[in-house]
Amino acid sequence: MINESAKRMLELDKMLSMAAEYTVSPAGRRLAERHEPSTDERQVRAWLEETEEAAKLLGAGASIPLSAMEGIDEIVALLGKGRVYVPSELYHLNLWLTSIAQMRRYMDSKRETAPRIASYADSMNDCPELRQELNRCLRGSSLADEASPELGRIRRQLYALEGKIEKKLEQTMVKYKSALQETIISKRRGHYVIAVKRDLRKQVPGTVWDESSSGQTLFVEPADIAALQLEWDSWKADEESECYAIQARLSAMAETRTSELEWNVEAMAAFDFITARGKMSRSYNGVRPSMSSQPIVKLVQARHPLIAVDRCIPLDAEIGAEWQQLIITGPNTGGKTVALKTFGLHVLLHQCGFLIPADAGSELGIFHKVMADLGDGQSLEQSLSTFSSHMMNVASMVREANNRSLLLLDELAAGTDPGEGIALSVAVLEHLMEMKARVVATTHFNEIKRFASHTPGCMNASMTFDPETLRPLHRLVIGEAGESRAFAVARRFGLMERIVSRAELLVSQSGQPQHLPMPSVSQETLGKETTPSKKHEISQRQSNHKRDGETLPKEPHRAGDCVWIHPLKRTGIVYREADERGNVIVQVEERKLTFNQKRLARYIDRSKLYPGQDYDMDIVFESKENRKKRHMMDRKYVKGVSIVTKPEEGE
């Protein structure tokens, strides 16, 4: 249904990782990490019912008795392989079976609130006979004396011998008191010993089993208790043999319940994952949408779950009922890509059985394919340009698309010649319309907006933008095409005003940029010779002006005129008109240079560059910082504020 690339683009992988963090057992975590969306409507309905019931239980303040299943994976994996479990493993098995019994009782009491998941507990088996025997034979993680009559008899003999040994040692300590380092009894390597001074070792006959780190104390088993120690060792061996026999019997009992224990692991892991889905759905106030038999998406106040609540603008949108394609337009940074991800992620969460972060009234159908092409996709490793990567993705998506597909396409026609890109995009949209696939796409191109407005089954939508604050509002409005607002965004992010104003003028003349020259932006071009082809291009443009009935004006150059500077073979903007000697100051990029007016030729009159006769030329020539300072100084004296102007350079 969804490949790894689309899962990453739509951030489903992050959502499943979040769900995994809510699990308490390794088996439950594996279920979360491996979970995939389903295309089976009955399966999706079942998952949604489970999640909704778990969320209700959690909302009522319930504490579901889940088991962390510590060590159970290893125990169950070795069932049927003749493994004899040690007491600690049997102890964990007993704890787990106890938690199974608790879960059965808990779910039985919640049958009215959560009938579906309560019924799952009926299939769990706490193996009462095995659990009863484990309870009888274990005390914590050790075997109890009552585990068998023989073990009880052996341990009574050991307890009696230990008493005799301790009594004998106390007598020995009195006997060799002067040779002792301290009057304590301890064990070394399973033998009872006393602490003897190294230099008095010969006074205490017996076997040395250890010494202190300093070497000044030896731990000696006195010869007086050697016989008793040998008898104790014999009984200890009998105890170990009997314990092994008991462990083997309990392990064999567990093996007879292999199928029940394996099913219990699956059931408890399922409860763990269901509860995790409920916890995560509650974390973003999820709801269960209505399920449609048709492949539609209707989102009411939908929120992207990975965006902070205070920063996320809810989305109202739909597709699939009245129109098959939704073309979203609007400014950069306006939230178009977030809208695409919200569409795709909500569909995937729904088909994974999660409640979705939206309001009641939302409705979703089942899609067999969810495919996405987001971001520039450029790959150096595969030698793919942005456009090549887009085309590779789109080609794959088109091949697989059908009437149960949702395709999410970001920035149609981007990355190549606009004319060809627009033509390809329209052709793709027409083909997908024939395939009855659901498409949500973003674009900046007016031709695609017009296609959407004139094509049945296709609808325009726009991301809103505040023209006063120049900030996107991240709200989607269905039924109208938006504007890219490139100029407003450029101003907001600090592009030079003269560049933005120039661009606005070029577009306003015919709705599209004119092929008129702009001052070069490279300092390195100052003083360089212009190539013959460049000279021909410039002379051709000047000829075009003349053919249009215009003559290049010969009156004095005015501030703001674009002039051709013959010595530099490039253009500049007149900063200060000619003085009595005929010298004109021209701004070339951020430098102000002086040339005699004979060295300059009128290129573009200021009336074609700037709107109105009263246009504030300081915007072109002054820095933003200096304009602010001058405005302050015009109002009042400001201590410490000064404007420093660099001296003009001569030619």
Side-chain angles (χ1 to χ4, degrees):
M1 174 187 176
I2 179 174
N3 57 31
E4 289 301 316
S5 175
K7 184 185 293 187
R8 174 181 51 79
M9 289 180 187
L10 298 175
E11 299 175 300
L12 179 63
D13 55 340
K14 293 182 181 179
M15 298 303 296
L16 293 177
S17 295
M18 283 176 57
E21 293 300 318
Y22 284 106
T23 60
V24 299
S25 67
R29 186 180 187 89
R30 287 194 296 272
L31 285 181
E33 292 172 340
R34 299 171 184 172
H35 195 53
E36 294 286 343
S38 174
T39 58
D40 185 332
E41 184 176 327
R42 288 180 298 177
Q43 178 67 79
V44 173
R45 286 186 187 276
W47 284 346
L48 289 170
E49 286 180 21
E50 295 168 357
T51 307
E52 190 174 38
E53 289 181 357
K56 286 180 180 177
L57 289 176
L58 294 166
S63 178
I64 302 175
L66 297 168
S67 170
M69 296 197 285
E70 183 181 353
I72 296 302
D73 282 347
E74 293 80 4
I75 293 173
V76 173
L78 293 171
L79 286 171
K81 294 182 171 57
R83 164 82 172 188
V84 175
Y85 298 110
V86 298
S88 61
E89 292 172 322
L90 294 170
Y91 172 69
H92 285 128
L93 178 60
N94 190 32
L95 286 180
W96 180 55
L97 289 174
T98 301
S99 70
I100 297 294
Q102 290 174 342
M103 179 64 82
R104 283 172 55 88
R105 289 193 298 271
Y106 173 83
M107 284 300 170
D108 188 55
S109 69
K110 303 297 181 182
R111 202 170 293 274
E112 290 186 7
T113 306
R116 174 178 283 276
I117 59 177
S119 66
Y120 297 165
D122 295 339
S123 65
M124 301 173 79
N125 191 331
D126 62 326
C127 306
E129 300 87 357
L130 174 60
R131 187 158 56 88
Q132 182 178 358
E133 186 65 8
L134 290 172
N135 278 329
R136 187 185 71 81
C137 294
L138 294 172
R139 292 295 178 271
S141 57
S142 301
L143 290 177
D145 294 353
E146 297 79 14
S148 74
E150 180 64 12
L151 181 61
R153 185 181 72 83
I154 292 171
R155 285 185 174 172
R156 285 193 295 273
Q157 292 295 328
L158 286 170
Y159 298 151
L161 277 171
E162 286 170 359
K164 290 180 181 179
I165 290 172
E166 288 179 4
K167 185 176 181 180
K168 190 69 174 177
L169 280 172
E170 289 174 357
Q171 295 172 353
T172 303
M173 288 171 65
V174 173
K175 180 178 179 181
Y176 302 114
K177 183 177 180 180
S178 60
L180 299 182
Q181 190 74 266
E182 51 187 347
T183 57
I184 60 170
I185 300 171
S186 59
K187 268 193 171 184
R188 292 291 189 277
R189 305 183 190 178
H191 293 262
Y192 286 95
V193 295
I194 55 178
V196 178
K197 298 175 183 177
R198 174 178 285 277
D199 53 352
L200 299 177
R201 160 72 181 87
K202 293 182 179 180
Q203 294 183 15
V204 183
T207 304
V208 176
W209 288 103
D210 201 359
E211 66 179 36
S212 66
S213 57
S214 65
Q216 298 304 307
T217 303
L218 301 177
F219 296 98
V220 179
E221 177 188 48
D224 297 353
I225 66 165
L228 291 174
Q229 183 68 53
L230 286 173
E231 187 179 357
W232 185 90
D233 290 343
S234 176
W235 283 107
K236 190 64 178 176
D238 291 344
E239 181 195 29
E240 291 175 357
S241 177
E242 181 61 19
C243 285
Y244 186 83
I246 296 169
Q247 291 165 210
R249 177 173 60 81
L250 294 174
S251 300
M253 284 187 69
E255 285 201 355
T256 63
R257 295 291 187 172
T258 297
S259 60
E260 291 94 329
L261 294 175
E262 289 176 341
W263 175 251
N264 284 343
V265 170
E266 293 183 20
M268 188 61 84
F271 274 119
D272 190 10
F273 181 40
I274 290 169
T275 304
R277 298 205 307 266
K279 289 176 181 177
M280 192 176 84
S281 296
R282 280 177 50 79
S283 72
Y284 51 68
N285 297 319
V287 300
R288 180 181 174 183
S290 301
M291 184 178 288
S292 172
S293 59
Q294 300 301 314
I296 70 172
V297 179
K298 180 183 178 183
L299 300 177
V300 179
Q301 293 290 284
R303 304 168 300 280
H304 196 292
L306 296 176
I307 300 177
V309 175
D310 59 341
R311 293 176 51 237
C312 183
I313 307 298
L315 177 73
D316 289 301
E318 59 182 289
I319 190 174
E322 299 182 30
W323 49 82
Q324 293 175 209
Q325 298 182 354
L326 189 66
I327 308 300
I328 302 176
T329 53
N332 289 316
T333 74
K336 299 190 300 298
T337 303
V338 173
L340 287 184
K341 289 186 175 183
T342 303
F343 261 100
L345 185 56
H346 278 62
V347 169
L348 296 177
L349 287 175
H350 176 250
Q351 292 182 222
C352 280
F354 291 90
L355 307 185
I356 63 170
D359 285 0
S362 298
E363 186 175 7
L364 292 170
I366 299 296
F367 291 87
H368 294 171
K369 290 279 185 180
V370 178
M371 297 174 279
D373 179 44
L374 310 177
D376 67 14
Q378 191 176 50
S379 173
L380 297 179
E381 292 81 3
Q382 300 180 36
S383 300
L384 293 177
S385 68
T386 297
F387 181 71
S388 300
S389 177
H390 279 310
M391 282 300 99
M392 185 173 69
N393 291 338
V394 171
S396 174
M397 293 161 72
V398 168
R399 284 194 299 269
E400 299 182 31
N402 58 31
N403 64 342
R404 285 275 178 178
S405 298
L406 175 64
L407 281 67
L408 306 168
L409 302 169
D410 198 16
E411 298 293 354
L412 285 176
T416 188
D417 175 78
E420 295 178 358
I422 290 166
L424 273 173
S425 299
V426 170
V428 167
L429 291 173
E430 289 175 340
H431 173 79
L432 294 174
M433 185 70 73
E434 293 176 4
M435 300 301 295
K436 298 183 179 180
R438 275 47 176 174
V439 178
V440 184
T442 69
T443 187
H444 286 291
F445 290 98
N446 291 326
E447 291 82 354
I448 298 177
K449 301 175 192 177
R450 284 194 289 271
F451 166 80
S453 64
H454 292 97
T455 303
C458 194
M459 177 62 71
N460 270 314
S462 68
M463 302 303 299
T464 54
F465 191 90
D466 188 335
E468 295 183 1
T469 63
L470 305 182
R471 292 184 179 275
L473 299 177
H474 299 280
R475 291 191 178 89
L476 185 68
V477 178
I478 304 290
E480 65 179 47
E483 300 177 12
S484 296
R485 298 280 186 174
F487 299 142
V489 172
R491 282 192 175 96
R492 179 187 170 200
F493 285 98
L495 187 63
M496 292 177 66
E497 176 62 29
R498 69 186 184 94
I499 296 176
V500 180
S501 298
R502 170 67 171 154
E504 288 176 326
L505 176 66
L506 295 177
V507 170
S508 67
Q509 292 179 351
S510 67
Q512 294 296 331
Q514 300 296 298
H515 295 289
L516 297 175
M518 284 287 288
S520 172
V521 296
S522 174
Q523 285 279 14
E524 296 177 1
T525 61
L526 288 176
K528 288 188 177 180
E529 291 292 328
T530 305
T531 63
S533 61
K534 181 66 176 178
K535 290 179 180 178
H536 173 74
E537 179 185 347
I538 293 169
S539 64
Q540 184 66 38
R541 288 174 180 166
Q542 292 175 341
S543 302
N544 289 341
H545 284 297
K546 293 179 182 179
R547 283 197 297 271
D548 292 339
E550 298 181 17
T551 58
L552 295 177
K554 297 181 179 179
E555 66 267 16
H557 302 301
R558 298 177 300 162
D561 286 342
C562 180
V563 295
W564 181 255
I565 308 169
H566 292 291
L568 298 184
K569 305 297 187 290
R570 57 162 298 155
T571 58
I573 303 295
V574 174
Y575 170 64
R576 187 172 298 164
E577 298 172 6
D579 59 16
E580 64 277 4
R581 295 183 181 180
N583 291 329
V584 180
I585 299 176
V586 182
Q587 178 155 312
V588 181
E589 296 187 355
E590 296 181 358
R591 301 174 60 188
K592 293 180 175 62
L593 308 176
T594 303
F595 300 93
N596 190 275
Q597 59 186 356
K598 295 179 181 180
R599 306 290 186 92
L600 306 174
R602 181 71 57 81
Y603 196 56
I604 304 174
D605 190 85
R606 62 166 285 164
S607 62
K608 294 184 178 296
L609 290 174
Y610 310 105
Q613 294 296 321
D614 298 328
Y615 186 77
D616 184 4
M617 297 304 296
D618 281 347
I619 295 175
V620 178
F621 300 121
E622 285 275 23
S623 69
K624 184 177 180 181
E625 181 182 359
N626 280 352
R627 292 203 308 275
K628 286 184 177 179
K629 288 181 179 179
R630 197 177 299 283
H631 180 65
M632 292 169 59
M633 295 167 71
D634 286 344
R635 291 186 297 161
K636 60 181 181 178
Y637 170 73
V638 184
K639 185 178 180 181
V641 175
S642 61
I643 297 175
V644 179
T645 303
K646 294 181 181 179
E648 292 80 16
E649 302 178 33
E651 56 179 304

